[in-house]
Amino acid sequence: METNSKLFYKKHFIWDKISDDEKNDVFNLGDDYKKFIDASKTERLSIKEIIRRAEKEGFVNIEELQEIKAGTKYYYVNKGKDAVLAVAGKEKLEKGMNIVGSHVDSPRIDIKPNPLYEKHGVSLLKTHYYGGIRKYQWVAIPLALYGTVVKENGDIIEVAIGDDDNDPVFYITDLLPHLAKDQNDKKLSEAIEGESLNVIIGSLPAEGKDDEKKFKLNVLKILNEKYGMIEEDFQTAELEIVPAGKSRDVGIDRGMIMAYGHDDRVCAYTSLKAILEVQNPEKTAVAVFADKEEVGSNGNTGMHSLFFSNMVAEMIALEDNGNYSERTLKKAMANSSMLSSDVAAGLDPTYPQVSEIQNSAVMGQGVALIKYTGSRGKSGANDANAEYIGKLRKVFNESGVAWQSAELGKVDQGGGGTIAYIMANYNMDVVDLGVPVLSMHAPFEIVSKTDVYMTYKAYKTFYNKF
């Protein structure tokens, strides 16, 4: 019979258990992650940084390959917003893959197709927010403008203003407290309306102009001089407003990181870091970096798209001298195991009332495994099988991975979802496993460096030993 101490389940803080060498690894990984996320302010920039790092480690574009054999490292990019990295395993693809899937889009504020106007001596841009933001958090803070503009002649312009030390920033105003009586009487969710998230882009008139739109004209002249843009180019552009500012250490002990876009670029980074270190795995190791998760994973760059299964079909053909069958594709998918690498809601010490403490992810206690997401009665959830979680438990425990199980808050408090249920439609085993986050979906979120490290270790263990 087991001893009493063995009978109880007890979680531990990572810092109390790891060696001095691993403590150094925690901080080194944190420093590298900050470089990654600072270079990844949008989904397009995230994919560019992922591919830059992958090519540096010997990954090649799948379109350059004539065949795939064990150990081959390759990647695929879909429309500049998705990427798939793979390291070919010793086993055939029809035996299944070990897949870690994250997303690289984050909540933000998008610029409308016809956005520019002037009012009372100020030039502004109309916006439409993207994903589940709390609108009041995005006013009265410095903002940056990023995006891609396609001109009439087909030229593509990349815009990035607000993060260089010499750049101006952008701004959404809020009411002063002295005049906010009516606003204060509204519910928090209604105090800032979506149509009032108008971004200040200028405040000076065009010189020598007396016409009615001289403030707007000055903005257009500056954009034309800098980028060759005219107003119609806004309609063939994807422009995004994101928080201005780089990632920063949090706390006098530097144990946490504050940054925009931890959800879900912290999981993109850890899965990238893990697959870049994989060599000759038994099963093919795959890292998926998807777009559009924050708005339902729809469109041709979301996980509902066929871009991933299309790539697997190409992988099968390259593995077998150009031969491909639908049957092999279905077997490859169904025999695969996947970690949906999305962030978890960390237990906030200031707002513990929204969490069920016994089943919450505590900051600094490791990567969070979430058996099911959804809302209320698990609506919309992928509910992972106990057998699959049992296999993960064994591998993680044997490899010294600190992990914890968690839910997304109290049962009727709210809810949410990931790409897990989409991939489970292929009949593969899928469970959510990712970094706990505080202030999720805020302009700046917080993660623990120890949790980031353990998430990377979990993904690397999954690739090599599962």
Side-chain angles (χ1 to χ4, degrees), residues 118 121-123 200-207 213-220 222:
E118 68 171 59
V122 179
S123 295
I200 292 178
I201 190 173
S203 61
L204 298 178
E207 291 185 8
K213 297 182 178 179
K214 57 187 176 182
F215 292 91
K216 176 179 175 178
L217 176 61
N218 194 48
V219 169
L220 289 171
I222 293 170

Side-chain angles (χ1 to χ4, degrees), residues 248-259:
R248 301 287 296 273
D249 287 341
V250 174
I252 199 168
D253 54 8
R254 297 182 177 271
M256 291 183 167
I257 299 172
M258 177 198 77

